[in-house]
Amino acid sequence: KFLGDGVLAYFGWPRAHEDDAERAVRAGLRVTEMVKTLKTPAGEALSARIGISTGLVVVGDIVGEGEARERSVVGETPNLAARLQGLAEPGCIVIADATRRLLGDLFVYRDLGEIHVKGFRAPVQAWSIAGESEAESRFEAHHGPSWTALVGRDQELALLLDRWDRAKDGEGQVVLLAGQPGIGKSRLVRAIRERAGSVPHFPLSHFCSPYHTNTALYPVIGLLERGAEFRPGDPPEHQLDQIEAMLALAVDDVRESAQLLADLLAIPAGGRYPPLDLSPHLKKEKTFQVLLEQLAGLARKRPVLAVYEDVHWSDPTTLELLDRAVEWVQR
């Protein structure tokens, strides 16, 4: 719904998702980011302010005609969102406490304290979004370091530990853990990680995302960036050094492998490596080869526990790589 120079957007209606609060914040971050790139005809910079609230509303009948057709929404939730938007600094997002509780530690927050807003009797707790957090997985972001005890999963855990023992003995294993949301799959994965920690091994964690299903090798890129210990603001030359140091643990031809991974991670080589004169298909094949060689090189030194979480959100290229990894592991 357009309101002068503003927009009112609904998340969770007409179709609900389990992560509507997260979707709203991510959309807000993109809006503020993109508006910064705009300028008025006079060359003045633009900025957007966003307020987000979560709660019950009543969706009424369709009103208006033509392009102005819309459904009326009644409730304090959009009113609170509008008030929070008025409190936000240019380029910032302010959220209500109910939204903050749904988000867990997916983002970095700044506590704005309890604020008196027009139309609400009691003060309202507000938070400002400072950016995305460094939580590796969605499960970690929503549950933090304290997890509930694992109950009623002795048989499944015993099976995973048996397969882990076989893998430690050099017999590659692949396990598919599937089931409805909320039955404890991620908690079971944490349990096997905890038990595996008693033996020196390489833990490789891949996290697929519902927002990157069309981004080739997104979970692999995340793993490589964590493995190379990238930090915000690292210069490209330092990032290349980190990639080479990471690859030296597993592969023989570090420079050629680093060149392909630098291209995958969109890091400027700056003349350090010759240009990659490869067709897209050949580049993908060589990149797959490097990633599998890296996996093989690590496995020659100590056991590897590679976890691919939320594969139903995986991009097609990652699935293709995973198929090859599964085939290789069995040999």
Side-chain angles (χ1 to χ4, degrees), residues 91-135:
C92 293
I93 300 173
V94 174
I95 63 173
D97 196 50
T99 308
R100 165 69 181 87
R101 292 195 299 269
L102 291 172
L103 294 171
D105 293 330
L106 288 167
F107 302 93
V108 178
Y109 311 94
R110 185 164 59 90
D111 188 350
L112 301 181
E114 293 188 339
I115 300 172
H116 291 276
V117 296
K118 184 178 180 180
F120 291 81
R121 292 182 179 179
V124 173
Q125 173 67 48
W127 305 79
S128 177
I129 300 289
E132 291 193 57
S133 74
E134 294 185 358

Side-chain angles (χ1 to χ4, degrees), residues 18-59:
E18 62 178 281
D19 56 349
D20 280 310
E22 180 186 354
R23 288 169 182 255
V25 172
R26 291 191 183 279
L29 288 171
R30 286 290 286 157
V31 167
T32 55
E33 177 184 313
M34 296 307 296
V35 169
K36 288 179 182 178
T37 67
L38 303 177
K39 292 186 182 297
T40 68
E44 298 169 313
L46 296 177
S47 60
R49 302 182 301 171
I50 293 177
I52 299 175
S53 176
T54 304
L56 295 175
V57 298
V58 176
V59 182

